[in-house]
């Protein structure tokens, strides 16, 4: 569809998203201050727009794609299996929307630590 936001989507775009998640993982392993980490968590686990929710939606669409293609049945004996695998993966990821619930607690802790006497900005102790 001309003018759509996916018209120029490429496999490289998805690879770039994957590389970004690898960089995020490395950043988290560097033990950043919680106040610095929080802005990265919100787009990752937000239950509506986070990466986990979007990946679940994409897998659900793959599931619909396979399920809605009866012409593939003759070519792929495992179509029912594929449908089940992508459906299960999508539902499994949706369970992680519980991570979004924890953002409020993390924000409160970051604010508490920032307000603590003698706390220096950017300090990890």
């Amino acid at each position: 569809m001309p003018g759509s936001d996916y018209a120029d989507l490429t496999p490289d775009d998805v690879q770039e998203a994957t590389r970004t998640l690898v960089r995020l993982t490395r950043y988290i392993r560097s033990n950043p201050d919680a106040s610095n980490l929080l802005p990265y968590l919100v787009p990752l686990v937000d239950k509506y727009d986070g990466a986990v929710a979007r990946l679940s939606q994409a897998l659900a669409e793959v599931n619909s794609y396979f399920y809605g293609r009866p012409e593939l049945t003759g070519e792929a004996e495992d179509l029912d299996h594929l449908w089940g695998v992508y459906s299960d993966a999508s539902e499994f990821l949706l369970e992680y929307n519980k991570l979004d619930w924890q953002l409020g607690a993390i924000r409160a802790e970051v604010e508490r630590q920032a307000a603590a006497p003698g706390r220096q900005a950017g300090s990890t102790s």
Side-chain angles (χ1 to χ4, degrees), residues 57-76:
Q57 292 168 348
L59 291 175
E61 290 304 318
V62 169
N63 173 52
S64 294
Y65 175 85
F66 283 122
Y67 188 70
R69 298 288 188 135
E71 72 273 11
L72 295 177
T73 305
E75 298 175 20

Side-chain angles (χ1 to χ4, degrees), residues 8 13 15 21 63 76 79 82 88 95 111 121:
D8 60 348
D13 294 331
Q15 285 292 337
L21 289 173
N63 173 52
L79 187 60
L82 286 174
D88 291 349
E95 284 295 312
E111 290 170 5

Side-chain angles (χ1 to χ4, degrees), residues 30-45:
S30 75
N31 198 24
D33 186 70
S35 63
N36 295 330
L37 181 59
L38 188 60
Y40 296 96
L41 293 178
V42 173
L44 188 63
V45 302

Side-chain angles (χ1 to χ4, degrees), residues 17-121:
T18 302
R19 286 190 291 271
T20 299
L21 289 173
V22 168
R23 290 176 53 216
L24 174 62
T25 301
R26 289 180 186 151
Y27 174 70
I28 295 168
R29 287 179 183 156
S30 75
N31 198 24
D33 186 70
S35 63
N36 295 330
L37 181 59
L38 188 60
Y40 296 96
L41 293 178
V42 173
L44 188 63
V45 302
D46 179 81
K47 68 181 174 182
Y48 300 111
D49 293 322
V52 172
R54 296 300 184 186
L55 179 56
S56 175
Q57 292 168 348
L59 291 175
E61 290 304 318
V62 169
N63 173 52
S64 294
Y65 175 85
F66 283 122
Y67 188 70
R69 298 288 188 135
E71 72 273 11
L72 295 177
T73 305
E75 298 175 20
E77 293 179 8
D78 295 326
L79 187 60
D80 284 339
H81 175 71
L82 286 174
W83 175 69
V85 168
Y86 281 98
S87 179
D88 291 349
S90 174
E91 290 176 24
F92 178 77
L93 284 171
L94 281 179
E95 284 295 312
Y96 281 94
N97 73 7
K98 296 172 186 169
L99 295 171
D100 178 70
W101 302 344
Q102 302 305 315
L103 290 175
I106 294 169
R107 280 189 188 103
E109 180 60 20
V110 166
E111 290 170 5
R112 185 191 67 75
Q113 288 181 12
R119 173 92 172 140
Q120 295 178 356

